[in-house]
């Protein structure tokens, strides 16, 4: 019974969330564009970081995705330790 009620609540929230998003899409003005955060963000330029992998061995290249996965896990652990759930 509790599980059924949980599904109904989650489904209802999902439907209401979709409706709110559609209403925002049709808005002509963007009030957040004038916020102080947006002004600060506009001062910076996005940069794509790249690296020269030509000097790496084949085994070292295979390690890169594993290191990235480990870094993502460490990042998640850091945020949980620093700020909790």
């Amino acid at each position: 019974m509790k599980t059924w009620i949980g599904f109904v609540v989650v489904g209802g929230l999902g439907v209401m969330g979709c409706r709110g998003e559609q209403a925002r899409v049709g808005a002509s003005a963007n009030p957040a564009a004038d916020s102080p955060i947006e002004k600060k963000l506009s001062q910076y330029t996005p940069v794509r970081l790249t690296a020269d992998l030509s000097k790496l061995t084949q085994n070292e290249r295979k390690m890169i995705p594993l290191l990235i996965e480990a870094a993502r896990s460490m990042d998640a652990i850091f945020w949980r330790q620093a700020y909790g759930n």
Side-chain angles (χ1 to χ4, degrees):
M1 181 72 175
K2 288 182 181 181
T3 305
W4 183 80
I5 293 172
F7 284 127
V8 171
V9 170
V10 171
L13 290 174
V15 170
M16 289 185 332
C18 291
R19 256 191 244 156
E21 186 65 30
Q22 290 173 352
R24 280 183 258 154
V25 170
S28 60
N30 186 1
D34 295 329
S35 73
I37 294 173
E38 290 296 325
K39 288 179 183 176
K40 294 256 185 211
L41 285 174
S42 68
Q43 296 174 357
Y44 298 96
T45 302
V47 177
R48 182 163 177 86
L49 297 177
T50 59
D52 180 17
L53 304 179
S54 63
K55 296 180 182 180
L56 297 179
T57 66
Q58 189 63 26
N59 285 335
E60 291 172 335
R61 289 182 192 181
K62 289 179 183 178
M63 285 177 27
I64 291 174
L66 299 174
L67 293 171
I68 292 171
E69 182 180 339
R72 286 186 178 135
S73 296
M74 291 186 324
D75 188 51
I77 291 168
F78 165 79
W79 288 109
R80 181 170 291 163
Q81 287 178 341
Y83 298 101
N85 287 337

